[in-house]
Amino acid sequence: MNAINYFTPLEYSPLKLLNKHRKVDSILDLLSGRRIFDPLWPISVEIHLTNRCNLNCYWCTDKHLKKNRAYLDIKVVKDLFREVKNHDVGVTLEGGGEPTLHKDFSEIVHYAADISLDIGLITNGTKDIRDLVNYFKWIRISMDATNPEEYRYEKKSECFNDVIANIQKMNAVRNPSRTLLGVGYVITKNNDKNLLSFFESLDEIGIDYIYMRPVEESEDSLPDFEKLYKLHKYLIKNEDRFRVKVLLKLGERVIKNNADLPCVAHSLSCIIRADGNVVMCEKRRHDIKIFGNLNESSFEEIWLSENRKDISRQLLNPKSQVGCEVCRMTNFNQIFHDIREIKTINFI
């Protein structure tokens, strides 16, 4: 087990925005009416390399996407990588489907390294990618189960032990000061029984963090929140018991409709789907906002297009967010709203 854990809560804190003060100023200008949209490039983009997946999670948010089994052409990916590298944008390789199933996955990762592009990965961990681990700034493996039986129920697969073995392989070869290694865990009423012992087993392996949230996509599978709040209190009280950092996101992951606020934080990130569509976010399924398509235009042309300006203006109306599912951008929108409401900005 690695002796040092380089992961700190700041890796998941909104305080990271302090490193992007021009971006913050631009969004606040939008919120105050001094801009009609935020023209600065996103801090990060999330790329669905493919819609193919080898698992079948019953609460999967992307089942509608997986039907077309699309994948991004490697030329489109490389063109995008060069563009975002010039603007210090980080790239997350993730679902739609399982990114490691893209036929050119290894070449894509090596190309990012060749141009010194910061990349992260969200994967289900079923593929052995130990040879690529140190090319990533971070890797998060979606487990969502504490044992083979839970895994079989949650994902309709027998891969639990294979995934644990692959995590061990990745941890054995990674440079921990270069690559953070974590586990993602969607909590349902069916997989919340053995969490503490699961934390201990992952701690023994030597991963850095566990990111946990209640299921958002299956109302009839919601876990017992009273039980989760007790777990949260226990983790705070016993934070020195584990080397691994456990992030249990509860309150901010149950708010819908963007807390009835303008969505100005959407420009912090965006989703690039396997069909090339650049979309605002992954939670707006009732009213998908498509900025453009990378098979037809460059990212810069799409990001500065009249279409994106028009969408940005629409999102300033809080009513435009009615129907939005739980979204991580709500937390950022609340922060921007609260900052604007501060009356004593010239005092510390």
Side-chain angles (χ1 to χ4, degrees), residues 1-3 128-134 139 141 163-177 179-182 202-208 243:
M1 184 170 67
N2 296 313
D128 182 357
I129 58 166
R130 75 184 101 170
D131 293 342
L132 301 173
V133 165
N134 288 307
I139 297 174
I141 302 95
V163 174
I164 291 294
N166 285 335
I167 293 174
Q168 292 171 324
K169 293 171 186 175
M170 284 188 273
N171 189 61
V173 300
R174 73 178 172 120
N175 177 349
S177 66
T179 304
L180 297 173
L181 186 61
L202 292 176
D203 201 13
E204 183 63 29
I205 290 174
I207 68 165
D208 300 312
R243 172 193 170 277

Side-chain angles (χ1 to χ4, degrees), residues 307-319:
N307 181 46
R308 187 177 157 258
K309 291 178 185 177
D310 182 58
I311 290 173
S312 181
R313 285 190 288 265
Q314 294 175 35
L315 297 174
L316 289 173
N317 181 355
K319 292 182 179 179

Side-chain angles (χ1 to χ4, degrees), residues 224-234 248 250-251 254:
D224 183 340
F225 273 80
E226 183 177 351
K227 181 178 178 180
L228 292 183
Y229 282 119
K230 289 181 180 178
L231 175 62
H232 189 252
K233 290 180 181 178
Y234 175 86
L248 181 54
L250 295 175
V254 297

Side-chain angles (χ1 to χ4, degrees), residues 55 148-149 151-152 155-163:
L55 299 180
E149 292 72 30
Y151 199 89
R152 186 182 307 116
K155 298 177 176 293
K156 309 298 184 289
S157 168
E158 302 290 341
C159 290
F160 180 85
N161 290 326
D162 293 333
V163 174

Side-chain angles (χ1 to χ4, degrees), residues 38-161:
D38 169 27
L40 300 187
W41 284 53
I43 293 176
S44 62
V45 296
E46 301 171 18
I47 300 180
H48 296 179
L49 288 180
T50 178
N51 287 337
R52 293 178 57 216
C53 190
N54 54 350
L55 299 180
N56 189 26
C57 304
Y58 69 87
W59 40 258
C60 177
T61 61
D62 294 323
K63 284 185 177 179
H64 63 295
L65 294 177
K66 291 196 293 185
K67 293 177 181 178
N68 66 20
R69 300 176 65 83
Y71 68 91
L72 276 172
D73 184 87
I74 189 169
K75 181 182 183 304
V76 173
V77 176
K78 288 182 176 181
D79 288 345
L80 174 66
F81 278 9
R82 289 193 299 273
E83 277 197 276
V84 298
K85 168 61 181 175
N86 291 333
H87 292 269
D88 295 323
V89 177
V91 170
T92 299
L93 307 179
E94 58 165 40
E98 167 52 36
T100 62
L101 296 181
H102 191 287
K103 63 185 181 66
D104 299 312
F105 181 74
S106 180
E107 184 177 350
I108 287 169
V109 173
H110 280 103
Y111 185 76
D114 289 343
I115 64 172
S116 300
L117 175 68
D118 284 346
I119 56 174
L121 173 67
I122 299 177
T123 173
N124 61 29
T126 56
K127 302 280 284 186
D128 182 357
I129 58 166
R130 75 184 101 170
D131 293 342
L132 301 173
V133 165
N134 288 307
Y135 293 122
F136 292 95
K137 295 291 286 185
W138 58 271
I139 297 174
R140 189 164 82 228
I141 302 95
S142 301
M143 287 293 300
D144 313 319
T146 66
N147 57 52
E149 292 72 30
E150 288 179 355
Y151 199 89
R152 186 182 307 116
Y153 184 86
E154 297 287 329
K155 298 177 176 293
K156 309 298 184 289
S157 168
E158 302 290 341
C159 290
F160 180 85
N161 290 326

Side-chain angles (χ1 to χ4, degrees), residues 61-62 64-65 271 273 275 277-292 307 311 314-315 320 322-324:
T61 61
D62 294 323
H64 63 295
L65 294 177
I271 310 292
R273 289 182 172 172
D275 61 5
N277 278 334
V278 181
V279 301
M280 191 189 91
C281 71
E282 61 182 343
K283 299 297 184 182
R284 199 180 179 90
R285 300 181 191 92
H286 66 295
D287 180 24
I288 299 172
K289 300 296 185 185
I290 300 175
F291 298 142
N307 181 46
I311 290 173
Q314 294 175 35
L315 297 174
S320 292
V322 174
C324 281

Side-chain angles (χ1 to χ4, degrees), residues 181-196:
L181 186 61
V183 160
Y185 200 100
V186 174
I187 313 169
T188 72
K189 67 180 182 181
N190 305 301
N191 66 7
D192 63 349
K193 309 298 189 299
N194 309 297
L195 293 177
L196 281 177

